[in-house]
Amino acid sequence: MTIRTVETTPYSDQKPGTSGLRKSVKAFQQPHYLENFVQSIFDSVGVAGQTLVLGGDGRYYNRQAIQIILKMAAANGVARVKVGQGGILSTPATSCVIRKYGTLGGIILSASHNPGGPDGDFGIKYNTNNGGPAPEKVTEDLYARSQTITEYKILEAADLDLDRVGDRTLGEMAVEIFDSAQDYQELLESLFDFDRIHQLLTNGSFRMVMDSMHAVTGPYAHAMFEGRLGAPAGTVMNGTPLEDFGQGHPDPNLVYAHDLVDILFGEDAPDFGAASDGDGDRNMILGSQFFVTPSDSLAVLAANATLVPGYKDGLAGIARSMPTSAAADRVAESLGIDCYETPTGWKFFGNLLDAGKATLCGEESFGTGSNHVREKDGLWAVLFWLNILAVRQQSVEQIVQEHWQQFGRNYYSRHDYEGVESDRANTLITHLRGALPTLKGKVMNGYEVDYADDFSYTDPVDGSTSQKQGVRIGFTDGSRVVFRLSGTGTQGATLRVYLESYEANAAKHDHDPQQALKPLIDIAESVASIRSNTGMDQPTVIT
Ligand code: G1P
Ligand code: ZN
């Protein structure tokens, strides 16, 4: 087999975003596009003689990309690649395998919750040896490399069979096709009381539905809930991964997981519903006629953590992204532990977890996780909830209501304006930044501005800083409005407006969040002129 050196020229748009390089499938199919990025990873991290993990969420182009990456790895002197069977590995399972076997890192092929198929999106992300997304200094290096690339190396060889578990070779390189679920399920079994959850799921009255949204968690969920935990067949819906996710949008929220929402808010609703996204790192939790906001979910998990075997000794700390509600902060305060506020994106949690400063992490964007891996973990969150339900023997709604009674309620909502023209979105943010100095002390709709800034973060572990992570307007009563542009979209810009208010009085907790947040929604419009700047009358997605 010969190694071919192919001449190439840089693509200017290969800067990794919030989670890796995410583009349309068509962009990835341009000549040398994927190869340039992969060679840039190899060059910047140095892979000769090393072991890598490789897998993806099964979306369109996953298999082709895996064959290309394997041949490039062989040509670049990689010693061994561990590939999930069929090229499938959820994002948290990849993180688990990198950590368990101490590999140099791993490559995850996914565009997370973005739609798939020939006209959908594709993505590639490098994770380092702690199992987490590469930190900014690594992604900056690899971007710099992609901008000066002149050639890449690839082995001329036939495609490998990815579907049969076992050891193969490709040139000099060892390729190990392994069972995608085993290591990951073992890790989850070490954290949760599977026997107790088994009792709950087989007690004859408790009913749950898990919606895998035709994406990567299907096989894991079938094996775990219907296999190991004894739930009846049919518990997992949309459980067969499809290259185009059944033409759906595999994002577990109230808008895109509407099949599940209809069931949990319908007649004779089950007790518990959950959904996960394209690559299995996000989760949505529902009770009968009840939605748990991701911010509340993090707070409830934290408050109940000692009921779960893996966390019975308590938490070292909690970390949340800046736009996530402060519900978890109140739990941390009552537990006497630290709560960290990081920029958006899971990569910022890595140092805190590695340093033992935080045990649980969460984002408002349906992401929750812990120090068991270095990614958010959808099925982990589902099992955590089931473990709590099994111990407390109460409904999801009762648990959350009691939580609000104890800690107060953080009303929360995110309004997304998708597909905004990039120039218009940038203008909106620039104007807003310009107006920040004039806002302090101003009273709007009865709310007095306490601070107005652009969030910047200094990592408490390595001292690195990240600027311009979101425009925040905080009010004296603790309410907030936050504006930021998405770093994961592939078409135009997405403006995210995050709204939060706090109500301590349990007697006033029966509001609809949109109602409770109305004054803040109006303030957001008045300071940012969202309608005229975006040309849109209302958000495209409200969660
Ligand atoms: C979005 C979420 C963010 C999450 C990321 C990856 O990023 O807002 O919390 O970490 O997806 O799942 P954004 O598009 O806002 O940059
Ligand atoms: Zn995801």
Side-chain angles (χ1 to χ4, degrees):
M1 276 180 262
T2 49
I3 293 175
R4 203 151 57 91
T5 301
V6 182
E7 282 186 22
T8 186
T9 49
Y11 282 92
S12 62
D13 66 346
Q14 296 204 319
K15 191 175 174 63
T18 313
S19 32
L21 183 67
R22 202 173 287 181
K23 299 284 172 197
S24 65
V25 167
K26 298 254 164 19
F28 271 99
Q29 288 170 330
Q30 298 171 90
H32 315 313
Y33 192 91
L34 174 69
E35 291 86 344
N36 278 12
F37 194 74
V38 171
Q39 188 66 52
S40 302
I41 297 176
F42 289 170
D43 290 346
S44 59
V45 303
V47 293
Q50 300 284 354
T51 299
L52 293 172
V53 180
L54 176 62
D57 64 13
R59 68 178 58 228
Y60 183 82
Y61 203 55
N62 193 55
R63 281 176 176 268
Q64 294 92 318
I66 286 186
Q67 299 289 356
I68 291 170
I69 295 169
L70 283 173
K71 290 172 197 172
M72 289 184 66
N76 279 275
V78 173
R80 170 180 288 265
V81 182
K82 292 171 71 72
V83 187
Q85 188 177 11
I88 298 279
L89 266 184
S90 78
T91 292
T94 310
S95 185
C96 159
V97 173
I98 294 171
R99 293 170 65 76
K100 180 165 178 180
Y101 298 98
T103 71
L104 176 73
I107 294 178
I108 299 177
L109 304 173
S110 169
S112 188
H113 48 284
N114 294 21
D119 298 316
D121 288 339
F122 191 75
I124 174 166
K125 183 170 88 158
Y126 181 71
N127 279 28
T128 52
N129 74 332
N130 71 346
E136 279 190 332
K137 56 180 182 323
V138 176
T139 55
E140 275 160 19
D141 277 2
L142 97 83
Y143 173 58
R145 179 69 201 143
S146 77
Q147 296 309 293
T148 57
I149 192 165
T150 56
E151 58 181 45
Y152 64 84
K153 290 200 180 73
I154 187 160
L155 190 74
E156 285 185 337
D159 283 357
L160 278 189
D161 171 8
L162 304 175
D163 294 306
R164 213 165 21 89
V165 168
D167 293 327
R168 331 237 190 291
T169 53
L170 189 59
E172 310 265 282
M173 183 177 83
V175 179
E176 179 192 339
I177 311 290
F178 66 96
D179 178 329
S180 310
Q182 196 179 331
D183 295 311
Y184 175 64
Q185 187 166 323
E186 273 174 21
L187 176 61
L188 295 176
E189 286 213 38
S190 75
L191 297 172
F192 299 108
D193 191 339
F194 270 46
D195 292 340
R196 205 145 180 183
I197 299 173
H198 187 279
Q199 277 168 22
L200 176 74
L201 297 186
T202 54
N203 70 4
S205 75
F206 186 90
R207 287 180 301 139
M208 76 167 274
V209 185
M210 170 75 212
D211 185 355
S212 288
M213 302 192 81
H214 300 294
V216 78
T217 63
Y220 297 89
H222 276 297
M224 204 140 55
F225 298 117
E226 298 175 5
R228 173 68 179 84
L229 293 168
T235 295
V236 179
M237 63 190 265
N238 302 324
T240 304
L242 300 174
E243 285 197 330
D244 66 350
F245 308 117
Q247 311 244 308
H249 197 135
D251 198 358
N253 61 38
L254 293 174
V255 177
Y256 295 124
H258 42 78
D259 291 353
L260 181 73
V261 173
D262 288 349
I263 294 173
L264 270 293
F265 283 85
E267 265 172 52
D268 191 28
D271 304 280
F272 181 73
S276 55
D277 74 330
D279 61 330
D281 56 359
R282 293 187 174 199
N283 74 88
M284 175 169 72
I285 302 294
L286 301 171
S288 180
Q289 322 286 334
F290 194 80
F291 165 62
V292 185
T293 72
S295 297
D296 280 342
S297 179
L298 174 65
V300 169
L301 299 189
N304 291 278
T306 52
L307 302 180
V308 173
Y311 307 91
K312 67 176 188 324
D313 297 330
L315 308 175
I318 306 172
R320 64 163 174 87
S321 66
M322 180 273 284
T324 304
S325 98
D329 303 34
R330 297 177 192 283
V331 177
E333 199 185 339
S334 89
L335 294 172
I337 57 176
D338 287 329
C339 188
Y340 298 88
E341 188 178 33
T342 61
T344 295
W346 209 260
K347 62 187 169 204
F348 293 100
F349 294 135
N351 278 348
L352 296 169
L353 294 167
D354 286 350
K357 288 181 179 293
T359 309
L360 296 193
C361 305
E363 292 194 279
E364 50 63 41
S365 52
F366 298 84
T368 352
S370 87
N371 59 352
H372 70 295
V373 290
R374 292 294 179 273
E375 290 279 3
K376 51 190 179 251
D377 190 343
L379 290 174
W380 169 91
V382 177
L383 288 167
F384 207 129
W385 266 96
L386 285 171
N387 201 145
I388 293 171
L389 292 169
V391 175
R392 287 188 51 170
Q393 299 286 325
Q394 288 173 297
S395 71
V396 171
E397 178 166 2
Q398 281 166 342
I399 288 172
V400 177
Q401 293 283 1
E402 283 187 15
H403 186 93
W404 290 338
Q405 273 175 16
Q406 186 180 350
F407 296 98
R409 176 172 180 187
N410 289 69
Y411 283 97
Y412 191 82
S413 183
R414 184 174 102 183
H415 290 193
D416 291 334
Y417 297 78
E418 297 174 323
V420 181
E421 247 174 67
S422 296
D423 288 351
R424 298 178 83 152
N426 288 325
T427 305
L428 181 151
I429 294 288
T430 310
H431 280 169
L432 206 48
R433 286 197 178 117
L436 289 176
T438 66
L439 290 176
K440 186 162 167 55
K442 199 167 165 182
V443 179
M444 290 177 280
N445 267 357
Y447 287 78
E448 183 184 344
V449 177
D450 182 21
Y451 62 90
D453 65 8
D454 203 343
F455 182 60
S456 70
Y457 177 68
T458 302
D459 187 300
V461 180
D462 66 15
S464 61
T465 58
S466 306
Q467 317 287 346
K468 300 196 172 180
Q469 296 294 322
V471 170
R472 324 187 278 181
I473 304 174
F475 302 92
T476 48
D477 70 341
S479 307
R480 296 192 302 168
V481 182
V482 175
F483 301 83
R484 60 179 281 284
L485 298 182
S486 156
T488 58
T490 55
Q491 273 138 29
T494 296
L495 170 70
R496 305 203 194 285
V497 183
Y498 308 84
L499 305 141
E500 173 179 7
S501 71
Y502 177 67
E503 176 56 68
N505 184 349
K508 296 189 187 160
H509 282 175
D510 58 349
H511 278 304
D512 164 43
Q514 301 308 317
Q515 209 58 43
L517 294 165
K518 183 77 173 63
L520 293 168
I521 295 170
D522 293 342
I523 291 175
E525 172 61 30
S526 80
V527 295
S529 306
I530 302 171
R531 281 190 216 121
S532 61
N533 272 315
T534 62
M536 295 163 102
D537 275 348
Q538 52 188 34
T540 39
V541 178
I542 294 180
T543 46

